[in-house]
Amino acid sequence: MSIVEIKQQATQKMQQSLESFQHNLTKIRTGRANPGLLDTVHVDYYGSMVPISQVANVALLDARTISVSPWEKGMGAKIEKAIRDSDLGLNPASQGDLIRVPMPAMTEERRKELTKVVRAEGEHAKVAIRNLRRDANDGVKKLVKDKLASEDDERRSQDEVQKFTDRFIVEVDKMVASKEQDLMAV
């Protein structure tokens, strides 16, 4: 593996870590409704557990209410039970074929608790990015040890790896700040 390949691989993995962090942030609930909130909820569909989005249409009714429209008549009760049993703290209500999922108002204490969770998730993402930096630098050191690259190349690549590591860390910080602002503004 060359220095260029090591840097490309590290950049790709850091981007994946950033995307994973972003996905984790969508699971942290603000007071606003978001159809993606139900992505983690699975429902029993003829013996197999599938995401709600595969058995129903999930949309927003308004800023604080998610609507779930099952594609089959018999699925309404199962979907409602799956949402209620999930750890999201939601209380769905059926209206004929439509299931309404209102977002409960958040207390100040819960908001502060969630900002701590967001910061912890941000730290995990930063640690993952720093570990990828270390792995990239170790890969380059191995090339130098095997006499496949010079020490000047090592120094240059470490500087470049540090630059894009810093860029990803700044991006994580921005995402944490944005999510905290969302949590406190609602």
Side-chain angles (χ1 to χ4, degrees):
M1 201 182 251
S2 71
I3 291 177
V4 172
E5 290 170 332
I6 290 172
K7 288 190 288 191
Q8 284 177 337
Q9 186 180 18
T11 306
Q12 288 172 343
K13 287 183 178 180
M14 286 181 188
Q15 184 62 42
Q16 289 171 348
S17 292
L18 193 66
E19 289 166 4
S20 172
F21 172 60
Q22 193 168 21
H23 181 71
N24 289 346
L25 282 184
T26 60
K27 295 177 187 173
I28 297 174
R29 182 166 58 90
T30 61
R32 284 185 230 116
N34 177 358
L37 194 61
L38 299 179
D39 287 348
T40 58
V41 180
H42 287 65
V43 64
D44 180 31
Y45 184 69
Y46 296 110
S48 57
M49 299 304 281
V50 295
I52 287 180
S53 60
Q54 291 185 8
V55 295
N57 183 33
V58 180
L60 290 179
L61 283 179
D62 57 50
R64 299 187 63 92
T65 312
I66 299 173
S67 71
V68 181
S69 305
W71 294 326
E72 292 181 26
K73 285 203 183 283
M75 290 302 297
K78 289 181 180 180
I79 291 172
E80 195 175 341
K81 182 180 183 326
I83 293 171
R84 193 170 283 118
D85 292 347
S86 71
D87 62 350
L88 296 173
L90 300 173
N91 192 16
S94 289
Q95 289 183 325
D97 289 341
L98 182 72
I99 300 169
R100 296 171 56 97
V101 185
M103 293 290 117
M106 290 183 41
T107 63
E108 189 68 26
E109 182 181 318
R110 180 74 177 136
R111 290 174 204 253
K112 288 180 180 173
E113 204 175 288
L114 286 175
T115 57
K116 289 178 186 172
V117 171
V118 168
R119 286 185 189 136
E121 285 288 329
E123 268 317 302
H124 291 307
K126 288 181 191 179
V127 167
I129 290 169
R130 289 180 188 126
N131 286 341
L132 292 168
R133 174 191 61 194
R134 185 197 60 224
D135 293 346
N137 287 338
D138 289 348
V140 173
K141 283 179 186 171
K142 187 176 183 326
L143 288 178
V144 171
K145 183 180 173 195
D146 295 343
K147 306 252 190 277
L148 297 172
S150 70
E151 289 182 14
D152 288 343
D153 291 338
E154 177 187 11
R155 231 172 278 113
R156 255 183 259 119
S157 72
Q158 282 180 347
D159 288 344
E160 289 176 38
V161 168
Q162 185 61 47
K163 281 179 187 168
F164 59 76
T165 300
D166 291 343
R167 196 176 70 232
F168 281 107
I169 299 264
V170 165
E171 198 61 38
V172 167
D173 287 337
K174 284 180 187 174
M175 291 164 73
V176 167
S178 172
K179 188 66 172 188
E180 284 180 351
Q181 195 173 18
D182 278 355
L183 285 169
M184 299 313 275
V186 177

